[in-house]
Amino acid sequence: MSTCIRCNASFRCGMVDSTEEPCWCAALLRLPAEALPQPEQPGCLCPDCLRAWLGERDASS
Ligand SMILES: [Zn+2]
């Protein structure tokens, strides 16, 4: 399991967990990794936070 860097929720990440499937974020996130918030921290956002963050990002651009 991975832990969300924003809300500390536990979620499954295909990049970190040993799974044959691509991570869900590959379908949701079409951004370079540098575009993520707090790129200096290792870790991912959970699906809820990633969607929320994408919404905020769209709203501010
Ligand atoms: Zn989260």
Side-chain angles (χ1 to χ4, degrees):
M1 296 295 284
S2 297
T3 302
C4 177
I5 60 175
R6 184 160 136 165
C7 72
N8 292 323
S10 293
F11 65 98
R12 196 173 69 97
C13 175
M15 297 289 285
V16 177
D17 301 339
S18 51
T19 169
E20 299 293 312
E21 306 161 35
C23 185
W24 56 267
C25 71
L28 181 63
L29 187 68
R30 291 186 172 82
L31 294 167
E34 309 89 85
L36 282 168
Q38 301 175 299
E40 72 279 4
Q41 289 190 18
C44 297
L45 295 170
C46 69
D48 286 347
C49 284
L50 186 55
R51 284 197 193 89
W53 178 75
L54 287 170
E56 290 167 13
R57 188 172 173 277
D58 288 346
S60 64
S61 64

